[in-house]
Amino acid sequence: MGDISRPCTVWLGSETGILKGVSLSRKKAHNFCHSSQMNRQHEVRTLCWGDPAESEVLVAAQDGTVKTFSLEKGIFTDVRQCADPDDGSVVGLATLDDGAGLVTCAGEGMLKVWKDESGEPAAKIRVGNNIARMRQNPEHRNKVATGGKENCLKVWDLEKPDVPVFAAKNLPDDWLSLRQPTWVMDMAFIPGSDKVVTCTGYHQVHVYDPSTSNRRPVMEAIYGEYPLTTLSLPATGGSVVVGNTHGQIAVLDLRKGLVRGCFKGMSGGVRSLQCHASQPLVASCGLDRFLRIHNLGDRQLKHKVYLKSRLTCLLLASRPLDDPEDASGDDCVEVKEEDDDVDEVWDAMERVGERGENPKRKVPAEEGENPGKKTSEEPENSESGTLEEGEKSVDETGEDQDDKTPEVEEEEPPKKQKRKKAEP
């Protein structure tokens, strides 16, 4: 199994609890799951690397368990119960420096830090209710950000967990003096600064700067009309890639808030997307069961793989995705990439008719001839028989009927009768 899992550079989770590994160099994929765990209770919610060498993948499931998958062995090596059923599903997963600890966050707002193999967490932090996502700062791994529905962005220092180091303030009231709702769906730390970018369920993109005294967004942009579900930052900086519930993915400028470009081809809600650490590529997955990889420069589709399950999250390796060193080997299950120009299903269907034809209309040969109906091909018969060519119809007086003008007798209108006056 290790020969199958090592070449995989893209890892995805599905709603049925299956961990999927995709090798773009071999154009093959494989499922890693026990048949007894294929149900909705084991839905994969989030993924992260277990160590800096990227030899382990941590898989957080719907039921609160976190499993460790070894790429060298190709099997799951450890299972830990990190969330109670009352805490909700796991919405965030991260590791501390050198793999010394594990950080989990549940939907009901319980953040836990695990530093040993015991069943009890080393620290518990209440971060609020209705948490949608927790993200870790890749440069300062002891800092995490949380947010959710009616729960504004908060940045926490795990070494000082009593109060957040930054708590965002809601937007000012609208022009009707009504409070604006907030719904943070995803966030990311901007490299080289303390800024944090978020996307909301109200199709907004906000940039916060904890280094200033301003707790409200320093930049706000609006994209589309549908809730934004996920975002990722390209390695080049200065922009953010966002996806929404209607399969739309776009690149937004973080300085001016303008849309730089959009990606085409998606047909379902985007659940997760991630930009590669060194290559100008962005990978996305969602409810249409496809893994798509686009080029950030020309926004062209590079890879499109159908994976048979509704996908929930993905994780990219830091090495090149199509590494030629992984191109050898034939032990995986091949996954066919879809070709947009050739569709065997449509080509095999029977052709009904050309456009404009009515297949329900009967042909005259099928209808049969109607003896009582006159057609243009039949000559008109009169009492005197059929007319020969060059003859004219003549009445008994010998006058031409063509030259004869019929006389119409006009009827006189009836005269009004005068009523006699009654004699006295």
Side-chain angles (χ1 to χ4, degrees):
M1 295 294 289
D3 296 337
I4 297 176
S5 58
R6 278 193 295 267
C8 296
T9 54
V10 184
W11 295 90
L12 305 100
S14 69
E15 287 187 351
T16 53
I18 303 175
L19 176 65
K20 297 175 178 288
V22 179
S23 174
L24 297 178
S25 57
R26 298 184 182 183
K27 295 185 179 180
K28 295 178 181 179
H30 196 83
N31 296 333
F32 301 93
C33 179
H34 299 290
S35 59
S36 60
Q37 297 178 349
M38 293 177 58
N39 54 59
R40 296 282 179 154
Q41 296 180 356
H42 298 90
E43 173 185 342
V44 180
R45 299 304 304 268
T46 183
L47 301 172
C48 78
W49 293 109
D51 56 346
E54 298 182 356
S55 62
E56 295 179 345
V57 177
L58 300 181
V59 183
Q62 174 78 23
D63 57 357
T65 60
V66 176
K67 296 179 288 186
T68 302
F69 180 81
S70 174
L71 273 68
E72 297 295 330
K73 300 178 181 179
I75 57 174
F76 290 95
T77 58
D78 186 25
V79 178
R80 172 183 289 184
Q81 187 70 33
C82 295
D84 299 330
D86 297 337
D87 295 337
S89 59
V90 178
V91 296
L93 186 64
T95 57
L96 298 177
D97 291 333
D98 299 329
L102 180 67
V103 183
T104 62
C105 183
E108 294 301 322
M110 182 58 69
L111 188 147
K112 299 179 181 180
V113 180
W114 310 80
K115 290 189 176 181
D116 51 23
E117 298 297 332
S118 64
E120 295 296 328
K124 293 183 180 181
I125 307 173
R126 175 63 66 177
V127 297
N129 298 326
N130 300 322
I131 298 297
R133 196 66 57 91
M134 181 204 76
R135 295 290 189 184
Q136 185 183 35
N137 189 339
E139 296 180 350
H140 305 280
R141 302 183 69 86
N142 61 322
K143 291 184 178 181
V144 296
T146 60
K149 190 171 185 179
E150 297 302 330
N151 194 332
C152 294
L153 172 71
K154 296 182 180 65
V155 179
W156 302 84
D157 189 349
L158 299 180
E159 297 179 354
K160 302 175 182 179
D162 297 334
V163 293
V165 296
F166 174 78
K169 192 175 181 180
N170 195 15
L171 298 174
D173 297 343
D174 60 8
W175 62 282
L176 290 175
S177 299
L178 298 177
R179 177 186 175 276
Q180 296 194 50
T182 179
W183 190 357
V184 179
M185 297 293 290
D186 199 359
M187 71 285 294
F189 289 89
I190 299 178
S193 66
D194 295 332
K195 296 181 180 180
V196 183
V197 57
T198 67
C199 64
T200 71
Y202 303 105
H203 54 92
Q204 303 164 327
V205 176
H206 294 150
V207 176
Y208 296 89
D209 191 356
S211 62
T212 64
S213 59
N214 188 5
R215 294 168 55 193
R216 286 190 169 126
V218 296
M219 193 280 295
E220 180 180 4
I222 296 178
Y223 171 69
E225 301 177 355
Y226 307 104
L228 299 177
T229 55
T230 181
L231 62 80
S232 183
L233 296 174
T236 55
S239 61
V240 60
V241 184
V242 296
N244 63 15
T245 57
H246 277 238
Q248 299 172 346
I249 299 178
V251 182
L252 275 67
D253 194 326
L254 289 177
R255 291 166 292 185
K256 299 181 179 180
L258 302 177
V259 178
R260 288 185 177 180
C262 299
F263 300 92
K264 298 180 180 180
M266 281 66 68
S267 58
V270 181
R271 287 288 189 89
S272 179
L273 58 86
Q274 183 180 350
C275 298
H276 194 264
S278 58
Q279 294 179 303
L281 300 174
V282 57
S284 62
C285 68
L287 301 182
D288 61 354
R289 300 174 172 86
F290 279 97
L291 163 67
R292 292 180 176 87
I293 297 180
H294 289 83
N295 190 305
L296 286 171
D298 53 9
R299 299 189 296 278
Q300 296 297 319
L301 183 65
K302 306 296 291 184
H303 301 278
K304 181 180 179 182
V305 183
Y306 181 70
L307 294 175
K308 302 180 182 181
S309 302
R310 286 157 60 111
L311 306 173
T312 57
C313 54
L314 64 85
L315 180 66
L316 297 182
S318 59
R319 68 179 188 271
L321 298 183
D322 50 356
D323 193 350
E325 296 181 0
D326 300 331
S328 61
D330 296 318
D331 297 332
C332 301
V333 179
E334 184 173 1
V335 176
K336 180 180 178 182
E337 293 195 9
E338 184 178 279
D339 190 355
D340 295 334
D341 299 331
V342 180
D343 196 340
E344 298 178 358
V345 177
W346 289 103
D347 292 343
M349 293 179 67
E350 183 180 356
R351 216 175 159 82
V352 178
E354 297 295 335
R355 185 176 180 181
E357 293 183 0
N358 186 3
K360 295 183 179 180
R361 184 178 178 182
K362 294 182 179 180
V363 185
E366 298 178 359
E367 295 179 358
E369 297 181 357
N370 187 0
K373 184 179 180 180
K374 297 177 182 179
T375 60
S376 59
E377 298 178 357
E378 297 178 353
E380 186 175 356
N381 295 333
S382 62
E383 294 181 359
S384 59
T386 306
L387 296 177
E388 298 293 338
E389 186 178 358
E391 293 183 354
K392 293 182 180 180
S393 176
V394 182
D395 61 359
E396 295 178 356
T397 59
E399 297 180 356
D400 246 353
Q401 289 186 0
D402 293 340
D403 301 330
K404 184 178 179 180
T405 304
E407 297 179 0
V408 180
E409 296 181 0
E410 297 182 0
E411 298 182 358
E412 296 181 1
K415 295 181 179 180
K416 295 182 180 180
Q417 296 181 357
K418 296 182 180 181
R419 299 178 62 183
K420 293 182 180 181
K421 294 181 179 181
E423 295 179 359

